[in-house]
Amino acid sequence: MEKKKLLVTGGAGFIGGNFVQYMVNEFPQYDIYNLDLLTYAGDLTKHRQVKKKNNYHFIKADIADRKFIISLFEKEKFDYVIHFAAESHVDRSISDPSIFVQTNVLGTQILLDASKQFGISKFLHVSTDEVYGELDFDPTTFFTEETPLQPNSPYSASKASSDFLVRAYHETYGLPINITRCSNNYGPYHFPEKLIPLTISRVLNNEKVPIYGDGKNIRDWLHVYDHCAAIDLVLHQGVNGEVYNVGGHNERTNLEVVKTIIRTLGKSEDLIEFVTDRLGHDKRYAIDPTKLERLGWKPTFNFETGIAQTIQWYIDNKEWLEQIISGEYKNYFKNQYSVKQKL
Ligand code: NAD
Ligand code: TYD
């Protein structure tokens, strides 16, 4: 296979980190450049093994630093850009939306400018199903690629804005692009501010698990490995200019997810604590992945096999989790949850 130079932004985060490891191993002939600012969500200890490989490179930088990004593209002449870097947590976007616009909108526009100026052959923008807004509880309705974008949170609004910019650079300047919109991910190296790793972490420590509202909101869960494989497929075989939804029909209420984790770890449901709901809490997400399946994608995990593997991973990698929850995370948890009332 041909040698290629890939720029992966956000490769120290959860999904980008899993993708970097996937690509370094699957494509030894590719040079992988992981560009990441190492915000609270970025962590390089996960790449201890991968960094020994000579096709892996790390660059600490801000995607919103125009001067640096342009000079990097000029020097490295990347073939592909796979863009994960973002502020990614809905709750943080409700507390302070500004950084979401700065990173997710402005940062993406700067990468698009650099990609256009230096003629890359594919810009793959990793987006989310949350740009479509919410579905009601009718189980026969799904997000398709034609569903209008109606984002409800500052996070999803910033991602939708970046999706529109990516589309516009394709329509206006002919930049070769794809957009993927995936459902909620879970798996190894997931930062414990999100529901699944937060629950695993707290149940392992016999701590209460906060469920927002009545716990009946539904998310469609996909193991991060299957998301990485979908991105690989779209990168190599996606039709230029097209959007692909990614999801494996694993809808669960939040309460079901938390109960599954508690049961698997052999703990008591008394750990569940219902707390004040999230502002603007989207009811339900559910993906129709038919278009991606036609391209040849099939998930390898269902929710039962994926969650069992993930729980075991957290048990086997307790030091990683301990290191994350011992620092600044403690302040975050206190600030985020102390204002919530027990229901
Ligand atoms: P994450 O928060 O775990 O990681 C984000 C990474 O981006 C971190 O390493 C962080 O340091 C880096 N970063 C942040 N600001 C940066 C900047 N200005 N310059 C350079 N690097 C910066 O996020 P994640 O969950 O891995 O999500 C990755 C992407 O996938 C995001 O674009 C997100 O919208 C999308 N996505 C996430 C999910 C999910 O369930 N987590 C689902 C669908 C799509
Ligand atoms: P989250 O993991 O933050 O992902 P997203 O908001 O992007 O879907 O939340 C998943 C669901 O879990 C969402 O409906 C909110 C809910 N939730 C809780 O009930 N308690 C929590 O402590 C967190 C973080 C989320």
Side-chain angles (χ1 to χ4, degrees), residues 10 12-16 36-39 41-42 61-63 84-86 88 103 126-128 155 159 182-185 194:
F14 164 46
I15 308 174
D36 198 295
L37 183 58
L38 300 181
T39 67
D62 185 347
I63 55 166
F84 294 90
S88 69
T103 296
V126 181
S127 191
T128 162
Y155 161 65
K159 290 296 291 186
C182 190
S183 61
N184 285 60
N185 282 213
K194 309 275 171 69

Side-chain angles (χ1 to χ4, degrees), residues 321-330:
L321 187 61
E322 293 299 331
Q323 156 221 318
I324 302 278
I325 61 178
S326 62
E328 180 51 33
Y329 178 82
K330 277 204 171 93

Side-chain angles (χ1 to χ4, degrees), residues 5 33 59 70-79:
K5 241 184 188 186
Y33 289 75
I59 304 158
I70 298 287
S71 63
L72 178 73
F73 274 65
E74 185 171 20
K75 179 167 156 240
E76 299 295 350
K77 308 271 184 303
F78 298 114
D79 295 293

Side-chain angles (χ1 to χ4, degrees), residues 89-91 130 184 193-195 198 210-212 217 219 254 278 281 285 337:
H89 189 34
V90 173
D91 289 327
E130 302 191 28
N184 285 60
E193 64 186 354
K194 309 275 171 69
L195 180 68
L198 182 136
I211 294 193
Y212 300 164
N217 303 61
R219 297 292 181 266
N254 295 337
R278 173 185 277 173
H281 196 172
Y285 306 143
Y337 291 92

Side-chain angles (χ1 to χ4, degrees), residues 174-190:
L175 187 73
I177 65 107
N178 283 121
I179 298 174
T180 54
R181 296 192 180 126
C182 190
S183 61
N184 285 60
N185 282 213
Y186 66 97
Y189 300 115
H190 202 179

Side-chain angles (χ1 to χ4, degrees), residues 28-317:
Q29 74 281 21
Y30 285 4
D31 266 319
I32 316 285
Y33 289 75
N34 169 15
L35 182 149
D36 198 295
L37 183 58
L38 300 181
T39 67
Y40 78 93
D43 144 69
L44 286 179
T45 63
K46 59 170 70 90
H47 292 324
R48 254 187 224 127
Q49 290 307 319
V50 127
K51 83 175 196 204
K52 294 181 193 149
K53 308 253 174 145
N54 52 17
N55 64 335
Y56 171 78
H57 315 269
F58 177 69
I59 304 158
K60 181 168 189 248
D62 185 347
I63 55 166
D65 180 345
R66 177 177 289 276
K67 217 168 135 203
F68 180 86
I69 294 293
I70 298 287
S71 63
L72 178 73
F73 274 65
E74 185 171 20
K75 179 167 156 240
E76 299 295 350
K77 308 271 184 303
F78 298 114
D79 295 293
Y80 301 149
V81 176
I82 302 96
H83 177 34
F84 294 90
E87 288 293 331
S88 69
H89 189 34
V90 173
D91 289 327
R92 289 187 194 249
S93 82
I94 294 168
S95 309
D96 180 11
S98 311
I99 187 68
F100 285 74
V101 176
Q102 168 78 10
T103 296
N104 300 1
V105 186
L106 185 64
T108 302
Q109 193 251 329
I110 288 169
L111 289 170
L112 287 166
D113 272 348
S115 301
K116 166 175 158 271
Q117 193 174 335
F118 296 100
I120 56 115
S121 9
K122 174 78 67 95
F123 187 99
L124 195 156
H125 180 59
V126 181
S127 191
T128 162
D129 60 354
E130 302 191 28
V131 297
Y132 296 121
E134 66 175 355
L135 295 165
D136 61 25
F137 291 113
D138 171 358
T140 62
T141 56
F142 298 97
F143 295 136
T144 72
E145 290 78 4
E146 276 69 50
T147 303
L149 304 199
Q150 289 189 312
N152 292 320
S153 72
Y155 161 65
S156 52
S158 69
K159 290 296 291 186
S161 309
S162 61
D163 285 23
F164 281 137
L165 282 168
V166 174
R167 182 191 139 84
Y169 273 63
H170 174 69
E171 295 294 328
T172 306
Y173 308 113
L175 187 73
I177 65 107
N178 283 121
I179 298 174
T180 54
R181 296 192 180 126
C182 190
S183 61
N184 285 60
N185 282 213
Y186 66 97
Y189 300 115
H190 202 179
F191 193 85
E193 64 186 354
K194 309 275 171 69
L195 180 68
I196 287 186
L198 182 136
T199 302
I200 297 173
S201 156
R202 293 189 66 81
V203 173
L204 280 172
N205 290 316
N206 296 307
E207 291 166 327
K208 293 275 186 195
V209 179
I211 294 193
Y212 300 164
D214 59 11
K216 290 188 179 142
N217 303 61
I218 290 175
R219 297 292 181 266
D220 185 356
W221 295 97
L222 188 73
H223 192 281
V224 65
Y225 175 85
D226 288 322
H227 188 187
C228 293
I231 294 172
D232 166 10
L233 182 69
V234 173
L235 180 67
H236 292 103
Q237 289 177 47
V239 176
N240 186 15
E242 292 293 311
V243 175
Y244 295 91
N245 282 353
V246 189
H249 288 299
N250 291 291
E251 288 183 50
R252 296 288 183 283
T253 66
N254 295 337
L255 193 55
E256 284 168 340
V257 168
V258 170
K259 282 187 175 175
T260 302
I261 295 170
I262 289 177
R263 199 170 48 245
T264 308
L265 287 170
K267 300 287 173 79
S268 158
E269 287 184 8
D270 293 346
L271 289 176
I272 292 172
E273 187 163 87
F274 291 93
V275 301
T276 324
D277 209 351
R278 173 185 277 173
L279 296 176
H281 196 172
D282 284 339
K283 284 203 259 314
R284 173 174 168 257
Y285 306 143
I287 283 280
D288 176 352
T290 308
K291 185 172 170 182
L292 187 67
E293 285 168 352
R294 283 205 195 104
L295 205 63
W297 178 80
K298 218 167 83 186
T300 54
F301 289 96
N302 60 29
F303 188 70
E304 281 64 40
T305 55
I307 197 71
Q309 183 263 14
T310 301
I311 293 170
Q312 192 56 49
W313 185 90
Y314 277 89
I315 293 171
D316 296 341
N317 291 272

